[in-house]
Amino acid sequence: MDWQPDRYLLFGDERTRPAADLAARVQVENPKAAVDLGCGPGNSTEVLRRRWPGARVLGVDNSPEMIEAARAACPDGEWMLLGIEQWAPESRFDVVFSNAALQWVPDHGALVKRLFGCIAAGGALAFQIPSERFSLVRSFIHEIAQEPAWVARMARPLALLTMESPGFYYDRLAPSARSLDIWETEYQHVLESHQAIVDWISSTGLRPFLQALGTVDERGRFVEQLLERVRESYETRADGKVLYPFRRTFVIAYA
């Protein structure tokens, strides 16, 4: 998929906060090397630089647009254009970190075991992804996608994301990890309107569904149906704003 860094960063503060919360909880002192897998435009990579200013920090992403944006924001940074599935470092990292990216990679049982094998003794694998319990807006996307007008083209988008339960990650990592820290947080993002909720997800989870449609008109009708359901289901607060609940799963596994 082609990514649009500018649209992604419309909600940059909200998208970066989980990265900061995760990094702050990683108990690895003075790591020599850290990697940010699925670094996007580099906002989460900057969190790692601030958390561990003495470390070498590498940002990895499979989107040329995202890597270009990251390089523009931090020309002195170390960036690699590569998919998470293909990333196979020659030496181990003290921190292997990922902020809202692993959900785009299948087979999390094999994935988290492989990534854990890339950390040095005393290091940590730390990642966060959306909860496997769908938010309302994601449920709406799936409902619309399965309507007769669209369903024939929606097999891939419907199966694209992988999010497992906290217990799943515990069971896969506990046999190898020295200790595990797993939790969930539901953020209540304060957005300006119902349209902002649709704008948020249009730059991430909605994109594969829209790309499966053939025309601008079809995409417009799909988005309009989504916006109508969002307006009906997300309450407008007294000041005119809307709360967008977003639940995320956090995992830290120590070697």
Side-chain angles (χ1 to χ4, degrees), residues 122-187:
L125 166 64
F127 64 90
Q128 74 83 9
I129 59 172
S131 169
E132 100 277 16
R133 288 176 280 178
F134 278 3
S135 65
L136 268 177
V137 67
R138 178 159 290 284
S139 296
F140 295 154
I141 293 170
H142 280 232
E143 290 171 7
I144 296 167
Q146 294 177 79
E147 291 180 357
W150 325 107
V151 67
R153 290 168 283 176
M154 293 297 172
R156 182 177 180 274
L158 285 167
L160 190 58
L161 293 184
T162 301
M163 292 96 75
E164 304 289 358
S165 69
F168 175 94
Y169 297 111
Y170 181 87
D171 289 341
R172 297 322 185 269
L173 291 166
S176 303
R178 171 170 52 89
S179 64
L180 281 158
D181 186 7
I182 303 177
W183 72 98
E184 289 191 311
T185 297
E186 184 169 83
Y187 296 88

Side-chain angles (χ1 to χ4, degrees), residues 3-19 38-44 61 66 69 99-101 103-104 128 199-205 207 248:
W3 289 89
Q4 296 174 302
D6 291 344
R7 294 194 68 188
Y8 180 87
L9 289 173
L10 285 174
F11 305 97
D13 290 345
E14 293 86 353
R15 296 190 193 280
T16 304
R17 181 178 169 189
C39 65
N43 54 311
S44 53
D61 203 282
M66 288 295 196
N99 179 62
Q103 69 269 19
W104 297 103
Q128 74 83 9
D199 291 343
W200 173 302
I201 204 163
S202 292
S203 62
T204 53
R207 297 182 71 255
R248 297 179 182 271

Side-chain angles (χ1 to χ4, degrees), residues 70-248:
R71 285 192 175 123
C74 183
D76 296 334
E78 184 178 354
W79 309 103
M80 179 182 291
L81 178 61
L82 191 69
I84 295 172
E85 302 95 320
Q86 289 76 44
W87 183 71
E90 295 181 359
S91 58
R92 298 189 177 196
F93 282 72
D94 300 298
V95 177
V96 174
F97 185 94
S98 185
N99 179 62
L102 297 190
Q103 69 269 19
W104 297 103
V105 183
D107 192 0
H108 277 200
L111 174 66
V112 298
K113 288 182 180 180
R114 179 174 69 82
L115 295 181
F116 186 81
C118 296
I119 61 176
L125 166 64
F127 64 90
Q128 74 83 9
I129 59 172
S131 169
E132 100 277 16
R133 288 176 280 178
F134 278 3
S135 65
L136 268 177
V137 67
R138 178 159 290 284
S139 296
F140 295 154
I141 293 170
H142 280 232
E143 290 171 7
I144 296 167
Q146 294 177 79
E147 291 180 357
W150 325 107
V151 67
R153 290 168 283 176
M154 293 297 172
R156 182 177 180 274
L158 285 167
L160 190 58
L161 293 184
T162 301
M163 292 96 75
E164 304 289 358
S165 69
F168 175 94
Y169 297 111
Y170 181 87
D171 289 341
R172 297 322 185 269
L173 291 166
S176 303
R178 171 170 52 89
S179 64
L180 281 158
D181 186 7
I182 303 177
W183 72 98
E184 289 191 311
T185 297
E186 184 169 83
Y187 296 88
Q188 296 287 338
H189 297 298
V190 180
L191 301 186
E192 293 297 322
S193 65
H194 295 100
Q195 180 65 54
I197 294 177
V198 175
D199 291 343
W200 173 302
I201 204 163
S202 292
S203 62
T204 53
L206 180 58
R207 297 182 71 255
F209 295 87
L210 298 182
Q211 290 177 341
L213 300 176
T215 67
V216 172
D217 179 66
E218 282 188 309
R219 294 168 189 165
R221 286 190 283 121
F222 195 103
V223 170
E224 186 56 39
Q225 286 190 46
L226 178 60
L227 180 57
E228 181 179 349
R229 296 187 190 204
V230 167
R231 284 174 175 153
E232 292 172 351
S233 302
Y234 288 82
E235 184 178 355
T236 301
R237 312 314 305 177
D239 61 358
K241 296 184 179 180
V242 181
L243 292 179
Y244 176 31
F246 200 128
R247 193 172 188 86
R248 297 179 182 271

